[in-house]
């Protein structure tokens, strides 16, 4: 088949790769001149099946409401009368029960583990360089009550095959010596030795180049204006300049922009943009930079060593499609980052050394992505991965390729289908 994949972020590029491997003629299209120019560009860098947890959990609504009045809160809900957003939050609330949380956790962990396995198989075959680190992940806690409350979920995901093992403060410091200066603030943590990290932007760029060498057609820097539906199915993609690209199938991998793009076809996806921030600083001095990926539970920060840089990502805002970096939020993130890693603090006073970024995570109410056929024949979906696009990309791509090709998928696909909503 001739298949157009819309969106060249990490989810779109990996989907194009798997479809190409299956023998399809694949065209990857993006409005930017370089792959991974939006949400995948400067994300947290972590590939973390051990933390493929849904945001919708018992108590999460109460925490979210409390955070609304805190400018430094990790999650902010900006009030809106948008009907789509209100409907999304209604579905979110329905997924906060213990039963739904356990079900969603199992489904997300299953896909994340499968995706990590696919990534490792890929790396064994292709040796792509993207600042990969296989040193695991350490999740640290400052609040003893929060640490105790986190233990049942840690045990649950460990039973699912995603190790999240409790460790003492001394063990935390032994795992990550860069935390020595904040050791008195810690009460313990969880270690996940099987997790990885890497630069999603580098991976997407280099996988797109590798795919092009194997026959992928790249149409970058081209605006996608819509889809052509004829005879009840999608027949073509409309591009800038009145160009019509006839295809047999289309994959929508437009992340947070998937929903507004598909409205003209009468589709409404349960995907809302959750704005996130990151800063990137030089890993200097090297001894002050972490060797393992980190999660600071109290501040909901993720930290990854990416070659000669350290990436610190966090915060989420439901504020529409604004990707600007205004106000105090970036400064709050920077202050929290240097409080956690004071050895890197000298970069705080050197504006040129700090690279700020904001992007839109495509978030579903239950936390899981939407993968598979849409109600419109010839149109397939691969979107809604939230903060886990990098973690779930390779597995999602393989599931999608199996669905399109009529092969038996390695995982049950019903829990990722649009029909679950």
């Amino acid at each position: 088949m001739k298949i157009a994949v819309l969106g060249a972020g990490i989810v779109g590029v990996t989907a194009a790769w798997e479809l190409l491997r299956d023998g399809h003629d694949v065209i990857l299209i993006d409005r930017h001149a370089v792959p991974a120019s939006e949400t995948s560009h400067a994300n947290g860098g972590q590939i973390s099946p051990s933390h493929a947890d849904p945001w919708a959990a018992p108590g999460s609504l109460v925490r979210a409401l409390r955070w609304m009045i805190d400018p430094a809160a990790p999650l902010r809900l900006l009030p809106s009368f948008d009907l789509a957003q209100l409907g999304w939050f209604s579905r979110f609330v329905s997924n906060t029960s213990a039963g739904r949380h356990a079900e969603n956790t199992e489904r997300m962990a299953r896909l994340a583990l499968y995706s990590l396995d696919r990534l490792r198989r890929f790396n064994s075959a292709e040796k792509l360089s993207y600042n990969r680190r296989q040193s695991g992940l350490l999740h640290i806690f400052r609040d003893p009550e929060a640490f105790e409350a986190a233990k049942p979920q840690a045990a649950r995901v460990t039973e699912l095959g995603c190790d999240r093992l409790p460790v003492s403060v001394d063990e935390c410091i032994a795992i990550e010596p860069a935390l020595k200066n904040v050791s008195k603030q810690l009460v313990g943590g969880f270690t996940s030795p099987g997790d990885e990290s890497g630069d999603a932007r580098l991976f997407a760029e280099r996988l797109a180049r590798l795919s092009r060498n194997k026959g992928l057609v790249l149409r970058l820097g081209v605006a996608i204006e819509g889809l052509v539906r004829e005879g009840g199915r999608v027949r073509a993609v409309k591009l800038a300049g009145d160009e019509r690209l006839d295809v047999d199938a289309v994959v929508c991998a437009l992340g947070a922009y998937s929903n507004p793009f598909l409205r003209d076809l009468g589709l409404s996806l349960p995907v809302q943009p959750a704005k996130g921030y990151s800063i990137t600083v030089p890993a200097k001095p090297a001894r002050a930079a972490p060797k393992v990926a980190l999660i600071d539970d109290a501040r909901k920060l993720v930290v990854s060593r990416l070659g000669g840089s350290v990436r610190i990502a966090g915060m989420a805002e439901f504020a529409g499609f604004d990707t600007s970096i205004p106000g105090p939020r970036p400064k709050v993130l920077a202050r929290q980052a240097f409080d956690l890693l004071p050895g890197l603090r000298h970069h705080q006073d050197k504006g040129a050394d700090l690279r700020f970024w904001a992007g839109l995570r495509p978030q579903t109410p239950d936390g899981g992505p939407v993968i598979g056929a849409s109600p419109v024949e010839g149109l397939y979906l691969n979107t809604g991965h939230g903060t886990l696009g990098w973690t779930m990309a390779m597995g999602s791509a393989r599931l999608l390729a199996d669905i399109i090709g009529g092969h038996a998928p390695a995982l049950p696909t019903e829990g990722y289908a649009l029909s679950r909503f």
Side-chain angles (χ1 to χ4, degrees):
M1 286 197 294
K2 185 177 182 181
I3 303 174
V5 177
L6 311 183
I10 190 67
V11 170
V13 171
T14 52
W17 166 259
E18 290 291 345
L19 290 166
L20 189 70
R21 289 181 67 246
D22 282 1
H24 299 290
D25 295 324
V26 185
I27 306 160
L28 181 62
I29 311 170
D30 197 281
R31 63 181 177 177
H32 293 283
V34 179
S37 290
E38 295 199 38
T39 304
S40 303
H41 185 76
N43 67 5
Q46 296 182 356
I47 303 164
S48 51
S50 71
H51 286 76
D53 294 349
W55 286 5
S60 59
L61 182 61
V62 173
R63 288 191 296 271
L65 293 174
R66 186 173 67 246
W67 284 335
M68 286 182 69
I69 60 174
D70 181 0
L75 173 65
R76 296 187 71 195
L77 309 178
L78 304 185
S80 169
F81 294 103
D82 179 79
L83 292 179
Q85 189 181 87
L86 291 173
W88 187 97
F89 282 119
S90 176
R91 286 171 167 163
F92 178 88
V93 172
S94 71
N95 278 281
T96 58
S97 68
R100 294 298 294 273
H101 180 252
E103 178 184 344
N104 294 335
T105 295
E106 191 276 334
R107 183 171 66 247
M108 293 170 67
R110 180 173 56 195
L111 177 58
L113 279 172
Y114 175 61
S115 190
L116 179 57
D117 179 67
R118 296 293 308 179
L119 179 63
R120 287 172 173 168
R121 290 172 183 264
F122 170 86
N123 281 318
S124 294
E126 300 296 340
K127 312 295 184 186
L128 207 65
S129 175
Y130 56 95
N131 289 325
R132 181 190 187 193
R133 296 182 75 88
Q134 296 176 273
S135 48
L137 183 149
L138 178 64
H139 185 178
I140 58 171
F141 285 74
R142 303 164 189 264
D143 182 347
E145 291 184 5
F147 186 38
E148 288 301 315
K151 288 181 179 179
Q153 178 70 354
R156 186 175 300 118
V157 299
T158 299
E159 289 176 359
L160 294 171
C162 308
D163 284 346
R164 198 189 298 183
L165 309 174
V167 289
S168 67
V169 174
D170 288 343
E171 289 171 314
C172 287
I173 304 307
I175 292 168
E176 182 45 75
L179 295 174
K180 184 177 181 180
N181 290 328
V182 297
S183 61
K184 292 183 179 179
Q185 302 175 25
L186 306 183
V187 298
F190 297 97
T191 181
S192 301
D195 286 2
E196 299 189 8
S197 60
D199 192 323
R201 178 190 62 81
L202 273 181
F203 185 90
E205 286 184 9
R206 291 172 180 178
L207 181 57
R209 187 182 309 144
L210 175 65
S211 300
R212 183 185 59 196
N213 293 339
K214 294 181 179 292
L216 174 70
V217 176
L218 277 173
R219 296 293 306 273
L220 301 177
V222 178
I224 307 167
E225 297 188 346
L227 301 176
V228 178
R229 186 177 181 181
E230 296 172 348
R233 65 168 295 133
V234 169
R235 298 289 183 181
V237 181
K238 291 187 293 185
L239 302 177
D242 294 324
E243 180 182 357
R244 171 181 168 134
L245 181 64
D246 291 309
V247 294
D248 300 307
V250 170
V251 173
C252 180
L254 293 172
Y257 297 95
S258 299
N259 196 29
F261 178 77
L262 295 176
R263 280 177 184 157
D264 288 346
L265 294 180
L267 293 182
S268 179
L269 305 186
V271 175
Q272 281 291 312
K275 183 178 181 180
Y277 297 87
S278 78
I279 60 172
T280 306
V281 302
K284 296 179 181 178
R287 66 180 181 279
K291 297 178 176 62
V292 305
L294 299 172
I295 297 178
D296 184 334
D297 187 79
R299 295 161 178 174
K300 301 296 185 281
L301 296 183
V302 301
V303 182
S304 300
R305 176 81 168 266
L306 302 176
S309 299
V310 177
R311 174 77 45 75
I312 304 101
M315 300 187 171
E317 295 175 358
F318 286 90
F321 290 87
D322 175 27
T323 57
S324 63
I325 309 178
R329 299 285 275 174
K331 293 181 181 178
V332 169
L333 180 62
R335 183 176 68 249
Q336 292 176 341
F338 293 121
D339 284 346
L340 177 65
L341 297 168
L344 301 178
R345 189 182 297 276
H346 67 285
H347 295 294
Q348 194 168 18
D349 300 323
K350 298 180 180 180
D353 283 347
L354 294 180
R355 300 200 305 272
F356 287 94
W357 170 89
L360 303 177
R361 306 160 177 138
Q363 199 71 37
T364 62
D366 62 6
V370 179
I371 306 168
S374 79
V376 179
E377 189 176 355
L379 173 64
Y380 296 86
L381 306 171
N382 194 13
T383 186
H385 295 76
T387 60
L388 297 167
W390 191 196
T391 295
M392 295 181 170
M394 292 298 284
S396 299
R398 188 60 251 164
L399 282 187
L400 180 74
D402 287 337
I403 292 168
I404 293 175
H407 310 304
L411 300 178
T413 58
E414 294 81 4
Y416 313 108
L418 179 61
S419 58
R420 76 183 189 269
F421 296 104

